[in-house]
């Protein structure tokens, strides 16, 4: 059985973990020193971010709004906004090699449609993207030559981004004109990488290719790459904002962000979807969609009984959403399928609550908090009313007898 744990060299906790004022001040000084060092180096790609933004019709105000949102995303105080903006401008000092294996290219597609002040420009035009099979113009032996040049020029300095799972069964998955297997290609490219970032659920944990019966014996990056810092950014597809956050954190601090036990950045996967869901109040109230198209569905009630896996899934998609922050699956009436969790296709992606999930609805007899309070209030009110009625009845009955006096006693004189 796979035992999940923090990978070897699994990133530093410096930076995001800082909480006290003195720790933030120390982090700020370290970030400034780091940025001064990067600004003093020659850019690997001659792209001037302010000019690029102007050419795209982006105002400085728009860029600063993005910097503010990204600062908040990284759990940094507002005083770091200027540093985040400076870090974005020197992202062309970081060489990146992006490879695709067994996948649908959904994560590359997500980047191309990324939001914000042309985040795709930030990543693809500002970052020194040395190799990306899907996006680059060269192919075949020309692409191979470009890859080799990048490996030699940036040995030990490049970030390797991996998209797609890795088939380990013989006869599946080959890359390039030399017919190198995905498995050998990953081992070769990761050997001299500074760090490896697995984007999407396939690269992180095997994803859908690793679902039963897993004919290619697909695995995630961390099953194969050892002795390197690894960051998993799962989901299907991953949210581009989270990848930008990881790269920016490295540019800003020189370290990888703090990771959870599944090697996911805590700033993005420290949230349970259920706790930030816009339909959470309906869960607490015991109001559910019982059938697609019913009255509950029309009133946007909770989707838990329709199989939503939000209560056991950690991701920030309920906060930052997708497609320019327009919406997310639950927002359009579809339950969460837990795509940022390991083995999600076999464990979570079906339209019923998990058997034995043991997630009780709060309140009395699974009725929800509001209905329980209402029922309890009505019960107390009824009991109080009954008590008053009984008291009135007994007072009327025995009080009258008391006025009549004891048997045999002389009648009271009338005044």
């Amino acid at each position: 059985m796979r035992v999940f744990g923090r990978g070897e060299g699994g990133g530093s906790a410096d930076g995001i973990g800082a909480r006290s004022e003195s720790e933030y001040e120390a982090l700020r000084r370290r970030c400034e020193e780091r940025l001064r060092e990067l600004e003093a180096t020659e850019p690997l790609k001659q792209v001037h971010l302010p000019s690029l933004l102007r050419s795209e019709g982006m105002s400085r105000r728009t860029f600063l709004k993005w910097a503010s949102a990204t600062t908040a995303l990284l759990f940094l105080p507002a005083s770091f906004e200027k540093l985040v903006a400076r870090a974005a401008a020197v992202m062309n000092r970081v060489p990146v090699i992006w490879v695709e294996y067994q996948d649908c290219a959904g994560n590359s597609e997500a980047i191309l449609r990324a939001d914000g002040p042309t985040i795709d420009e930030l990543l693809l035009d500002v970052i020194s993207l040395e190799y990306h099979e899907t996006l680059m113009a060269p192919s075949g032996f020309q692409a191979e030559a470009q890859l080799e040049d990048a490996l030699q020029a940036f040995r030990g300095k490049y970030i390797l981004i991996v998209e797609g799972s890795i088939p380990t069964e013989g006869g599946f998955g080959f890359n390039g004109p030399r017919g190198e297997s995905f498995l050998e290609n990953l081992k070769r490219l990761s050997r001299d990488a500074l760090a490896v970032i697995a984007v999407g659920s396939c690269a992180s944990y095997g994803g859908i290719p690793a679902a039963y019966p897993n004919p290619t014996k697909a695995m995630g990056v961390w099953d194969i790459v050892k002795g390197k810092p690894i960051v998993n950014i799962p989901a299907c597809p991953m949210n581009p904002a989270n990848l930008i956050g990881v790269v920016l954190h490295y540019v800003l601090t020189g370290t990888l962000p703090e990771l959870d036990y599944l090697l996911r950045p805590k700033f993005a996967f420290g949230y349970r979807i259920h706790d930030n869901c816009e339909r959470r109040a309906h869960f607490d109230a015991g109001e559910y969609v019982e059938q697609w198209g019913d009255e509950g569905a029309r009133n946007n009630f909770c989707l838990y009984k329709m199989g939503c896996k939000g209560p056991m899934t950690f991701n920030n998609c309920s906060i930052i959403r997708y497609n320019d922050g327009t919406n997310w699956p639950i927002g359009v009436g579809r339950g969460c399928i837990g795509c940022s969790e390991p083995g999600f296709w076999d464990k979570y992606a079906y339209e019923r609550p998990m058997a034995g999930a043991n997630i009780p609805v709060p309140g009395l007899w699974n009725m929800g908090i509001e209905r329980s309070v209402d029922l309890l209030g009505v019960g107390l009110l009824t009991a109080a009313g009954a008590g008053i009625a009984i008291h009135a009845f007994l007072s009327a009955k025995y009080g009258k007898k008391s006025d009549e006096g004891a048997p045999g006693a002389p009648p009271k004189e009338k005044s």
Side-chain angles (χ1 to χ4, degrees):
M1 187 179 71
R2 182 76 165 83
V3 178
F4 295 112
R6 195 183 180 96
E8 297 175 58
S12 167
D14 294 342
I16 300 300
R19 287 295 182 268
S20 70
E21 189 173 341
S22 60
E23 287 173 325
Y24 277 129
E25 178 58 24
L27 176 62
R28 186 186 61 76
R29 288 196 298 269
R30 187 156 59 86
C31 291
E32 287 185 342
E33 182 180 356
R34 160 81 173 167
L35 291 176
R36 281 196 296 271
E37 291 175 355
L38 287 175
E39 288 164 350
T41 61
E42 287 294 322
L44 302 174
K45 193 174 183 180
Q46 297 299 329
V47 176
H48 187 237
L49 180 60
S51 301
L52 177 63
L53 295 178
R54 280 195 298 272
S55 68
E56 296 293 331
M58 295 291 171
S59 66
R60 176 176 172 76
R61 181 183 180 86
T62 303
F63 176 67
L64 292 179
K65 284 174 64 179
W66 171 84
S68 177
T70 303
T71 303
L73 175 74
L74 293 173
F75 286 171
L76 293 172
S79 58
F80 279 69
E81 289 178 6
K82 291 183 179 178
L83 294 176
V84 169
R86 285 175 60 190
V90 296
M91 289 175 77
N92 54 1
R93 271 72 166 178
V94 179
V96 172
I97 293 176
W98 185 309
V99 291
E100 280 191 64
Y101 297 133
Q102 196 168 228
D103 74 319
C104 65
N107 298 285
S108 292
E109 186 74 9
I111 283 291
L112 292 174
R113 294 181 177 178
D115 67 325
T118 61
I119 299 301
D120 44 358
E121 282 88 349
L122 284 175
L123 276 176
L124 300 179
D125 290 347
V126 178
I127 282 181
S128 182
L129 189 60
E130 304 294 328
Y131 182 85
H132 191 306
E133 296 147 347
T134 307
L135 304 179
M136 62 195 300
S139 61
F141 289 106
Q142 286 183 327
E144 283 285 294
Q146 186 164 329
L147 175 61
E148 291 303 320
D149 288 345
L151 293 177
Q152 294 299 324
F154 306 111
R155 186 181 299 276
K157 299 177 182 177
Y158 61 87
I159 293 176
L160 178 64
I161 296 180
V162 179
E163 178 179 3
S165 64
I166 302 94
T168 59
E169 178 73 2
F172 292 96
F174 296 92
N175 194 29
R178 294 187 303 167
E180 184 179 28
S181 71
F182 290 163
L183 180 62
E184 292 303 319
N185 187 257
L186 174 61
K187 289 179 178 177
R188 182 168 65 90
L189 300 188
S190 62
R191 191 175 302 132
D192 294 319
L194 178 71
V196 183
I197 301 177
V199 294
S201 290
C202 294
S204 297
Y205 313 124
I208 293 177
Y212 180 81
N214 192 3
T216 65
K217 290 186 171 53
M219 292 184 175
V221 168
W222 71 344
D223 294 306
I224 296 167
V225 176
K226 305 298 179 184
K228 289 287 178 183
I230 297 174
V231 179
N232 287 328
I233 307 179
C236 189
M238 59 99 194
N239 198 311
N242 294 333
L243 174 60
I244 292 167
V246 171
V247 177
L248 259 179
H249 188 281
Y250 171 71
V251 172
L252 187 61
T253 67
T255 64
L256 295 175
E258 187 177 2
L259 307 176
D260 68 6
Y261 75 108
L262 293 174
L263 303 188
R264 303 177 297 192
K266 284 186 176 179
F267 72 78
F269 298 92
Y271 308 93
R272 194 171 61 152
I273 284 178
H274 187 57
D275 297 331
N276 296 288
C277 179
E278 61 210 30
R279 302 191 185 206
R280 174 58 189 268
H282 293 295
F283 177 87
D284 293 339
E287 298 171 338
Y288 298 97
V289 177
E290 303 283 351
Q291 188 175 0
W292 296 121
D294 67 4
E295 188 67 20
R298 288 191 288 274
N299 286 286
N300 297 328
F301 284 180
C302 177
L303 293 162
Y304 177 65
K305 289 188 177 180
M306 298 306 294
C308 178
K309 305 305 187 299
M312 57 280 289
T313 303
F314 289 79
N315 203 335
N316 59 358
C317 56
S318 59
I319 300 172
I320 60 175
R321 304 187 172 204
Y322 286 89
N323 299 328
D324 294 340
T326 303
N327 215 329
W328 65 304
I330 292 177
V332 297
R334 183 72 187 181
C336 168
I337 61 172
C339 67
S340 58
E341 299 299 319
F344 83 95
W345 194 255
D346 290 334
K347 290 181 181 176
Y348 300 142
Y350 50 87
E351 293 181 347
R352 282 294 141 191
M354 293 179 65
N358 193 27
I359 300 177
V361 177
L364 301 173
W365 303 294
N366 294 336
M367 291 189 301
I369 294 175
E370 293 180 6
R371 292 174 64 188
S372 298
V373 170
D374 290 344
L375 181 64
L376 186 61
V378 170
L380 292 174
L381 187 62
T382 302
I388 292 172
I390 293 172
H391 176 75
F393 171 75
L394 294 177
S395 296
K397 182 177 180 180
Y398 293 105
K400 183 177 180 181
K401 287 184 177 180
S402 176
D403 290 343
E404 291 173 350
K412 295 182 179 178
E413 294 182 358
K414 294 183 179 178
S415 60

